Amino acid sequence: MARFLLLLLLVSIAVFMLLELIPGDPVDALVPEGATPEMREQVRELYGLNDPLLQRYASWLGGVLQGDFGRSFQTRLPVAEAIAERAPVSLELAVLAMVVALAISVPVGVWSAYRPGGWVDRVATLVTSATLATPSFVLGILLVYVFGVQLKVLPILGWVPFSQDPVQHFSHLVLPVLTLAAGECVLFTRLLRGDMLATLQQDHVLSARARGLPTWRILARHALRQSSFSLVTVSGVVIGRLIGGTVIVESIFSLPGMGSLVVNAIISRDFIVVQSVVLLTALIYLLMNTLVDLTYPLLDPRVRKATS
Amino acid sequence: MAGSGTAHLRDDPDVVFSVRNLTVEYAGRRGERVFAVSDVSFDARRGETIGLVGESGCGKSSVARAIMQLPPPTKGSVVLDGIELTELKGAALRRQRRKLQMIFQDPISSLNPLRKVKDIIAEGLRVHGGLTSEEVGTRTRTMIERVGLDPDSAADHRPHEFSGGQCQRISIARAMVLDPELVICDEPVSALDVSVQAQIMNLLAEMKQRYRLTMVFIAHDLAVVKNLSDRIVVMYLGKVCEVANSDDLFAAPAHPYTRALVQSIPEPDPDAPIQEAALSGDLPSPLNPPSGCRFRTRCPLAQDICATEEPQIREVRPGRFAACHFPLEEPIAVARPTEAVPV
């Protein structure tokens, strides 16, 4: 826990300093073009940009701890509000993409390891290689073209809140979720297949078959659990990344998530928004990694013994 | 050697297990055929232990796998208790599996590291059904006790908390709890310390007695199988060389390869003269086995006929079967062959 907090503190310093070091003056973004030096100075004073570094960091951190991330340079609205509005979109996208990716990759990974060189394995290898070679923006556009333009079965872009129309809400999510899930699915399938292959080589799996256990039981209860460590670790990292915002997919499908928030903030030099989002993303990463660490003892009782 | 044939199979109502013309071939890395096992036959009476001996790579483990139908052999028949296993598939085969169990060489890899000892042992019973959970529990406890572990302290622990020898005891319990007809031991003591080896061998001997167990005991070392086995089958490069009762085989090997194996057993006498390696050269590749007798490339007695004609297994002396054109005569001095016999 102490390590967790220390890490978070270091991250906050890094985030704060990162923006200090970026070339360019934030005042440029705040004043109209052709502003006089006096006006610029006034704005500087107003936003506290003239205070010493340490003081600015302290006041920023103090605010953050109370949930006050400051106000956007651009919109003058509290940053926390903007994030609260965007975060659920990214969160939903991330969770759905993870669910879809795991739902596809676990059975495919398990089966292609069980029958390496079989047709499932060969098809999976072909599809994963093809997907791996396709950047997400190409895949997204391809999906839009096929399902949105040609087949006209799914809406192409935009976001409908769940409260407004649940059916529309989910049909707008299908294509972005598939686009996001595809890339992760490839990663998960490959990882799981590799680990499963190694586990299935072990004599205890042969012994399970020799004892006449049904195949599904051997795969699910004996081999999968033992082979899922890398998958769990990577899943934690991936979901952290997805929640932090997926710039490309959100842009393609014009979804109001964290990714598009951050992109807009960077373009308009709205540093305080960038700072807050990066800090939040780091927090999510740390949380996810801690969560992953907590699942190891559940997966492997040997870890339980070692840590207790 | 390299013998085919079934002359050594016994026509005896007590024979419960037989392997006939077992052949295992599989595709190698470049699509070529690997002849792992070629036309191997042997049988076992109830309660008998067959020692299957040969160098690493001679196909012993392939024979074991083929008997287990994991995977089934390319050709040949495996009959246990009158049931032809090679013809069974799916659920029918799974039901028969209880009857033939296997004990593996690597005690660590053969136990699922994530499960408790009691679950490892009980799982087979649970799957095959017909027992209440109390009965499963009692049988599991009894079996843990019979293999020399303390059920109270061992049951809730996991394999990594045990030594190699203890793990092998757990493996034996896992196999024996299903009350099998046939147990295949694939080098069960090769990975253990010598002192522990003896304990495990004693445990297996005890199990054999108690359950009148039929066993196939695989080893690369004749000394290991000597005491436990009733009948020994010597294999070389996927073929059977010699089949004989254990004591007879040691007293007077009939096949030049068996003689080499017997000679390679170390003498426990420090003053005994150090023998030259009884066999030189490496095992030929099973991708491209020698013509005729497969042993001829390393055989001190090889003649022209050995390259052209494959010796069939035949009874060379009463009760003694060997696949050799020039079997060794009976009272043979178990000594190193003299250098090139002048013709």
Side-chain angles (χ1 to χ4, degrees), chain A residues 225 297-306, chain B residues 107-108 111-120 149 153-163 166-167 170:
Chain A
R225 185 167 156 198
L298 297 180
L299 283 173
D300 189 347
R302 285 171 296 180
V303 180
R304 211 177 301 161
K305 270 274 157 45
Chain B
I108 307 299
L111 300 173
N112 185 337
L114 305 182
R115 316 199 79 201
K116 290 179 184 172
V117 168
K118 62 175 182 200
D119 295 324
I120 290 173
L149 297 171
S153 62
D156 286 309
H157 289 263
R158 292 188 170 79
H160 69 281
E161 295 168 272
F162 295 90
S163 68
Q166 287 170 322
C167 282
I170 298 166

Side-chain angles (χ1 to χ4, degrees), chain B residues 20-336:
Chain B
R20 263 171 204 272
N21 308 109
L22 193 77
T23 300
V24 178
E25 293 170 11
Y26 53 89
R29 213 158 282 168
R30 269 171 251 106
E32 68 283 47
R33 301 299 293 164
V34 179
F35 302 92
V37 179
S38 304
D39 216 356
V40 164
S41 307
F42 60 91
D43 57 10
R45 294 195 179 108
R46 183 174 305 283
E48 201 172 45
T49 296
I50 305 294
L52 197 59
V53 188
E55 284 168 87
S56 303
C58 74
K60 300 166 303 208
S61 293
S62 296
V63 169
R65 298 287 187 94
I67 293 171
M68 303 294 297
Q69 311 295 314
L70 289 171
T74 316
K75 273 197 298 239
S77 113
V78 177
V79 176
L80 176 61
D81 247 358
I83 295 172
E84 174 60 63
L85 297 177
T86 53
E87 284 167 6
L88 298 178
K89 286 213 157 51
L93 178 58
R94 277 218 319 275
R95 269 195 302 280
Q96 294 301 320
R97 289 205 183 282
R98 189 193 57 75
K99 292 196 204 159
L100 70 166
Q101 289 299 306
M102 189 158 174
I103 294 161
F104 298 89
Q105 176 174 5
D106 181 355
I108 307 299
S109 138
S110 65
L111 300 173
N112 185 337
L114 305 182
R115 316 199 79 201
K116 290 179 184 172
V117 168
K118 62 175 182 200
D119 295 324
I120 290 173
I121 296 172
E123 188 175 29
L125 285 178
R126 292 200 186 108
V127 167
H128 286 285
L131 294 174
T132 66
S133 62
E134 274 123 68
E135 283 171 320
V136 169
T138 326
R139 288 200 193 187
T140 305
R141 279 183 67 86
T142 314
M143 196 46 77
I144 294 177
E145 227 166 356
R146 288 208 177 144
V147 296
L149 297 171
D150 173 17
D152 293 313
S153 62
D156 286 309
H157 289 263
R158 292 188 170 79
H160 69 281
E161 295 168 272
F162 295 90
S163 68
Q166 287 170 322
C167 282
Q168 216 55 319
R169 289 175 189 270
I170 298 166
S171 284
I172 293 169
R174 176 178 65 184
M176 292 306 304
V177 80
L178 292 173
D179 201 13
E181 313 264 327
L182 176 75
V183 172
I184 300 172
C185 305
D186 189 357
E187 308 231 15
V189 298
S190 311
L192 305 175
D193 288 346
V194 176
S195 58
V196 182
Q197 282 189 359
Q199 296 171 15
I200 298 298
M201 291 302 289
N202 287 342
L203 176 63
L204 286 171
E206 195 189 314
M207 290 290 164
K208 175 186 163 182
Q209 287 263 290
R210 188 197 285 266
Y211 296 99
R212 213 172 162 229
L213 200 61
T214 313
M215 277 204 274
V216 174
F217 194 101
I218 297 174
H220 60 261
D221 181 353
L222 262 181
V224 170
V225 296
K226 186 177 172 184
N227 294 323
L228 195 67
S229 304
D230 303 295
R231 199 165 155 91
I232 291 179
V233 176
V234 180
M235 276 184 73
Y236 182 84
L237 205 62
K239 295 252 180 190
V240 172
C241 294
E242 182 165 1
V243 180
N245 288 337
S246 180
D247 295 338
D248 301 347
L249 187 95
F250 280 90
H255 196 287
Y257 179 61
T258 314
R259 183 177 63 183
L261 285 183
V262 171
Q263 281 172 358
S264 69
I265 298 173
E267 285 284 333
D269 174 9
D271 295 328
I274 295 169
Q275 299 212 340
E276 263 176 59
L279 268 187
S280 57
D282 288 326
L283 202 63
S285 164
L287 287 175
N288 185 15
S291 63
C293 172
R294 289 192 181 179
F295 184 56
R296 69 176 164 85
T297 54
R298 296 165 79 189
C299 182
L301 308 177
Q303 308 276 328
D304 291 345
I305 186 178
C306 301
T308 52
E309 200 175 307
E310 187 188 341
Q312 296 293 304
I313 294 177
R314 61 197 167 97
E315 190 163 19
V316 294
R317 325 195 258 274
R320 173 64 63 95
F321 298 87
C324 184
H325 291 302
F326 307 102
L328 302 163
E329 292 301 323
E330 176 120 30
I332 175 131
V334 182
R336 212 153 53 72

Side-chain angles (χ1 to χ4, degrees), chain A residues 6-125:
Chain A
L6 185 70
L7 257 168
L8 209 55
L9 190 71
L10 288 175
V11 167
S12 77
I13 293 172
V15 165
F16 190 77
M17 291 308 296
L18 203 67
L19 291 169
E20 280 307 313
L21 298 173
I22 288 177
D25 190 341
V27 176
D28 289 342
L30 293 170
V31 297
E33 222 157 300
T36 60
E38 289 75 35
M39 264 178 81
R40 294 178 70 96
E41 196 47 40
Q42 226 178 331
V43 171
R44 274 184 179 283
E45 203 56 50
L46 186 68
Y47 281 88
L49 291 171
N50 283 334
D51 295 340
L53 190 67
L54 208 61
Q55 191 185 332
R56 275 187 290 140
Y57 172 69
S59 72
W60 173 71
L61 192 66
V64 165
L65 288 178
Q66 293 165 36
D68 175 13
F69 289 83
R71 278 169 186 276
S72 158
F73 293 168
Q74 202 67 31
T75 59
R76 308 288 147 95
L77 290 172
V79 176
E81 235 166 70
I83 290 177
E85 197 179 293
R86 306 298 197 103
V89 178
S90 289
L91 189 69
E92 188 178 1
L93 211 55
V95 170
L96 287 178
M98 278 304 283
V99 169
V100 171
L102 287 173
I104 296 170
S105 60
V106 170
V108 173
V110 167
W111 199 262
S112 49
Y114 174 60
R115 290 262 182 268
W119 70 268
V120 174
D121 188 28
R122 286 199 305 250
V123 171
T125 306

